[in-house]
Amino acid sequence: MTDKTPSTDTGLDAMPDPDVNPSASGPMPRGFKRFRRTRPFWGSLILLWSSWLIGSSMLSKQLDFTIFAAFGNQTLPPVLISFTMASAALIAMFMPSQRTFPGIVSVALAIAALPLANLGGLIIGTVAGVTGGALIVAWTPYTEEQLTKMAEKDARKRARKQARKQSRRPAQSGATA
């Protein structure tokens, strides 16, 4: 006996079932493209770069993230700010439903890095931190309809590319014969 109840798999990688919802036909984007579209990817990436800029001044000259042995009033705040901003970026990246608080905290830390961390990574780190935090807070997830439209567009693009590849193949084999 087959069960005709709708699938309860509603995660990010769930495939639409055409039997349950006929308008949800077509493959969903997979892999990295799906990952990038379903979370604040660019804001998190900019925030990670900003945390590296702010923290790299207090790390070793080779930039291999070995911390100086001499901790003090001037070395601890940039490292703490850097690691906190990096963790906020990773939280926003891998837990997109919890993106608002890490985004707000990262903007506040980027501004606090100006007086505490060598002008906030020579001001570039502060600007990048505020930009990345703002992108994280402003990001909104796509609806399933939007993701389905994107998947259909990607499928059409792949089909056109495959058709072009197939149309070129006989012309190339005829030229070599």
Side-chain angles (χ1 to χ4, degrees), residues 31-109:
F32 181 70
K33 188 178 275 189
R34 172 96 177 163
F35 179 82
R36 183 177 47 84
R37 286 180 176 170
T38 57
R39 52 203 72 238
F41 179 76
W42 294 111
S44 297
L45 205 62
I46 292 171
L47 191 59
L48 277 173
W49 179 59
S50 138
S51 74
W52 179 79
L53 286 173
I54 291 171
S56 65
S57 63
M58 287 298 122
L59 300 173
S60 70
K61 299 294 183 198
Q62 293 85 18
L63 297 178
D64 60 357
F65 284 92
T66 56
I67 299 174
F68 284 128
F71 269 101
N73 292 339
Q74 296 174 349
T75 57
L76 194 57
V79 172
L80 289 177
I81 289 172
S82 176
F83 286 138
T84 307
M85 286 175 66
S87 63
L90 294 175
I91 287 170
M93 175 92 70
F94 294 108
M95 295 175 58
S97 62
Q98 304 296 322
R99 70 190 178 276
T100 307
F101 184 70
I104 292 170
V105 166
S106 63
V107 169
L109 285 173

Side-chain angles (χ1 to χ4, degrees), residues 1-8 17 19-20:
M1 177 185 269
T2 60
D3 187 20
K4 291 290 185 179
T5 59
S7 174
T8 59
D17 189 6
D19 297 333
V20 175

